[in-house]
C-alpha cells in the first residue's frame, strides 16, 4: 500500500504543482527557462516599454506565452507575429491583409528574417493612464481577417487577469517592473537582470486558433510606436548589441506618412525570432520503484539534455526540503536513487523541479 500511495502522490504533484499556469502577467515556475533574452537596452524610456525575455509552454492544447517587461500606457504597440503554418508572408504585402488598427498599411514592405513567414498577428495596446488594455487578432493573407477581440480594464499596480477575449484568447497583464535592462539605448543589456524580471504580458493561445500546429512554432515579437510606424530596438529574438531604435527607416529616423518597407531584419545579426517546439513531452514523473523494505527508492522522470533537476520531499506538501540538487539530465529520461524513508514515517511526498 505504501508503494501505491507514493505513486499516487507523485502523479498528483506533477499535475497540480509543476504545471499550474495562472494567466495574470506574473511568471510561473512551470514555464521553465527563457527561450529568448534581451541583449540591448531599450530606446523607449525607463520605465517605458521594454522586452526582457520570452517564455512558453504547451499544455492542454494551448500555447502559454509570457513576455516579461513593460508596455508604456501611451498606446505603444506590442506586436507578436506567429509562424505556425506552411506558407505565410516573409515580406508583408498590405493589400493581402486585413488592415485592422492600420497595421498592414504601416508594415507594407517590411521583411522578416529568412526562415520566418508570418501567419498570424496579435497586437496589444495599453493607454488612458493604464485604464485600458486592447487585444487584436489577425490571420494574415488573402481570406484572412482581423480586428479587436477584447478590451479590458487593467490596474497598473499589480497583476491583472485572466481576461478572456471573444475568440478564446486569454491575456494577463502586470506593468509593475522597475528593474530589467535599463534605457541607455543600444548598449548591452545585463541578461541576468533581464532574466530576473517576472512580470509583463501573458497570453494563453488555443492551438486551433493558429492552425493546430504539429511541429515547431516561431515568433517574432517587437515593440512599435503608437501608429505602427516607429519601431523600437526591443525585439525577441533580440537585436545585436549597439542597435538603437529602428524608427521608420531602419536607422532611427521618423518618416511621416511612410511605411516600414525599408526595414529588412536580414540586415541585423542573428535571428529576430525564437522557436517553440511542439510535441515535446512535459516534465513528468514516469517511474517509482522501491525494494521490499523501502530502503532504496528510485524516481524516474521525463528530462531534457543539458538541463539539471532537483528532487524534494515533504511530509505535508506545504514545506519542502531538498534531497539532492544539480542532478544532470541523462537524456530523455533520468533516474535518481536514494535512501530516504525512515520506518517511523507513515507517508512522504516527492517532487522533481527543473533548475
Amino acid at each position: 500500500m505504501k508503494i501505491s500511495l507514493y505513486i499516487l502522490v507523485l502523479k498528483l504533484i506533477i499535475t497540480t504543482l509543476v504545471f499550474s499556469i495562472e494567466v495574470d502577467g506574473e511568471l510561473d515556475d512551470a514555464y521553465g527557462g527563457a527561450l529568448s533574452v534581451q541583449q540591448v537596452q531599450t530606446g523607449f524610456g525607463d520605465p517605458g516599454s521594454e522586452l526582457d525575455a520570452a517564455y512558453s509552454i504547451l499544455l492542454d492544447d494551448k500555447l502559454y506565452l509570457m513576455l516579461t517587461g513593460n508596455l508604456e500606457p501611451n498606446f505603444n504597440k506590442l506586436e507578436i507575429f506567429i509562424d505556425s503554418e506552411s506558407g505565410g508572408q516573409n515580406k508583408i504585402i498590405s493589400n493581402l491583409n486585413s488592415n485592422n488598427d492600420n497595421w498592414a498599411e504601416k508594415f507594407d514592405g517590411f521583411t522578416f528574417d529568412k526562415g520566418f513567414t508570418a501567419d498570424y498577428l496579435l497586437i496589444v495596446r495599453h493607454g488612458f493612464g493604464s485604464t485600458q488594455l486592447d487585444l487584436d487578432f489577425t490571420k494574415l493573407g488573402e481570406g484572412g481577417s482581423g480586428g479587436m477581440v477584447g478590451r479590458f480594464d487593467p490596474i497598473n499596480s499589480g497583476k491583472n487577469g485572466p481576461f478572456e477575449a471573444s475568440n478564446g484568447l486569454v491575456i494577463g497583464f502586470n506593468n509593475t517592473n522597475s528593474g530589467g535592462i535599463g534605457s541607455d539605448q543600444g548598449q548591452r543589456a545585463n541578461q541576468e537582470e533581464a532574466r530576473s524580471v517576472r512580470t509583463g504580458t501573458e497570453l494563453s493561445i488555443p492551438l486551433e486558433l493558429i492552425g493546430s500546429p504539429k511541429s515547431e512554432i516561431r515568433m517574432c515579437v517587437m515593440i512599435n510606436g503608437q501608429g505602427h510606424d516607429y519601431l523600437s530596438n526591443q525585439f525577441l529574438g533580440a537585436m545585436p548589441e549597439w542597435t538603437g531604435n529602428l524608427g521608420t527607416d531602419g536607422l532611427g529616423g521618423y518618416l511621416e506618412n511612410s511605411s516600414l518597407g525599408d526595414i529588412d531584419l536580414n540586415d541585423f545579426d542573428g535571428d529576430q525570432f525564437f522557436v517553440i517546439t511542439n510535441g515535446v513531452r512535459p516534465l513528468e514523473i514516469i517511474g517509482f520503484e522501491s525494494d521490499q523494505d523501502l530502503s532504496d527508492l528510485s524516481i524516474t522522470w521525463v528530462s531534457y539534455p543539458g538541463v539539471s533537476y532537483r528532487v524534494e520531499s515533504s511530509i505535508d506538501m506545504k514545506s519542502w526540503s531538498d534531497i539532492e540538487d544539480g542532478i544532470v539530465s541523462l537524456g530523455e529520461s533520468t533516474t535518481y536513487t536514494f535512501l530516504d524513508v525512515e520506518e517511523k514515517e507513515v507517508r512522504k511526498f516527492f517532487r522533481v523541479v527543473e533548475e
Side-chain angles (χ1 to χ4, degrees):
M1 292 299 294
K2 282 188 176 181
I3 295 176
S4 296
L5 177 61
Y6 284 120
I7 294 172
L8 175 62
V9 169
L10 287 169
K11 294 296 183 182
L12 175 63
I13 290 171
I14 288 300
T15 300
T16 61
L17 296 182
V18 176
F19 295 116
S20 176
I21 299 283
E22 182 179 2
V23 182
D24 57 6
E26 292 192 358
L27 180 65
D28 294 291
D29 291 339
Y31 278 105
L35 298 178
S36 181
V37 180
Q38 189 56 252
Q39 296 185 152
V40 292
Q41 297 187 40
T42 182
F44 265 35
D46 186 19
S49 294
E50 67 180 58
L51 289 168
D52 290 289
Y55 304 80
S56 185
I57 188 171
L58 291 146
L59 289 173
D60 301 324
D61 296 319
K62 295 181 178 65
L63 185 155
Y64 290 88
L65 176 68
M66 180 72 198
L67 301 169
T68 56
N70 298 81
L71 186 61
E72 194 171 357
N74 63 352
F75 290 106
N76 281 348
K77 318 298 185 188
L78 173 60
E79 320 225 58
I80 305 166
F81 288 92
I82 302 173
D83 177 2
S84 57
E85 300 179 349
S86 60
Q89 296 179 27
N90 178 255
K91 184 175 184 176
I92 299 296
I93 302 172
S94 64
N95 61 10
L96 296 182
N97 295 291
S98 171
N99 195 36
N100 50 292
D101 202 41
N102 204 36
W103 80 269
E105 179 181 331
K106 293 302 182 181
F107 270 89
D108 188 38
F110 176 91
T111 303
F112 295 98
D113 282 300
K114 182 180 179 180
F116 187 94
T117 54
D119 302 300
Y120 299 91
L121 168 64
L122 280 71
I123 304 170
V124 180
R125 301 181 294 274
H126 178 218
F128 291 136
S130 302
T131 63
Q132 183 174 306
L133 183 71
D134 294 344
L135 177 62
D136 279 27
F137 177 82
T138 301
K139 177 174 173 53
L140 276 66
E142 292 183 285
S145 61
M148 188 168 66
V149 294
R151 173 165 286 171
F152 314 104
D153 297 321
I155 301 170
N156 201 38
S157 57
K159 62 183 181 180
N160 300 274
F163 301 125
E164 186 168 355
S166 60
N167 63 348
L169 285 168
V170 178
I171 187 169
F173 188 70
N174 186 325
N175 209 40
T176 59
N177 168 51
S178 59
I181 56 174
S183 58
D184 198 349
Q185 181 181 167
Q187 292 208 28
R188 184 168 184 80
N190 183 321
Q191 291 196 306
E192 288 306 310
E193 291 293 330
R195 286 188 178 92
S196 73
V197 178
R198 298 185 64 85
T199 57
T201 302
E202 186 173 16
L203 290 153
S204 168
I205 306 170
L207 289 176
E208 64 180 4
L209 200 61
I210 55 172
S212 299
K214 302 301 182 184
S215 57
E216 65 183 25
I217 301 165
R218 299 184 175 197
M219 288 197 177
C220 176
V221 181
M222 63 194 77
I223 290 177
N224 206 342
Q226 300 170 9
H228 299 279
D229 56 1
Y230 191 89
L231 280 169
S232 74
N233 63 350
Q234 295 295 284
F235 281 69
L236 291 174
M239 284 287 174
E241 188 178 0
W242 303 115
T243 304
N245 291 332
L246 274 61
T248 310
D249 57 4
L251 302 172
Y254 173 68
L255 303 177
E256 190 174 359
N257 299 320
S258 183
S259 77
L260 303 173
D262 289 334
I263 297 177
D264 183 342
L265 295 185
N266 293 287
D267 294 336
F268 300 89
D269 289 343
D271 288 329
Q272 277 69 60
F273 64 83
F274 57 91
V275 178
I276 302 164
T277 302
N278 198 356
V280 174
R281 295 175 66 187
L283 175 61
E284 179 184 8
I285 292 176
I286 55 176
F288 185 86
E289 296 181 357
S290 170
D291 60 8
Q292 191 169 10
D293 62 2
L294 292 177
S295 59
D296 289 342
L297 301 176
S298 295
I299 295 177
T300 301
W301 61 91
V302 173
S303 59
Y304 308 97
V307 176
S308 62
Y309 299 88
R310 181 173 69 254
V311 176
E312 300 177 348
S313 67
S314 173
I315 60 172
D316 57 8
M317 292 182 66
K318 295 179 181 178
S319 177
W320 293 89
S321 301
D322 290 356
I323 295 175
E324 186 74 29
D325 61 9
I327 303 170
V328 178
S329 168
L330 300 178
E332 294 184 358
S333 67
T334 297
T335 299
Y336 179 73
T337 302
F338 56 97
L339 304 176
D340 190 84
V341 178
E342 299 178 10
E343 291 184 3
K344 65 181 180 180
E345 293 175 322
V346 176
R347 64 178 184 175
K348 201 160 193 175
F349 305 91
F350 300 92
R351 68 180 182 184
V352 176
V353 179
E354 182 178 312
E355 295 183 323

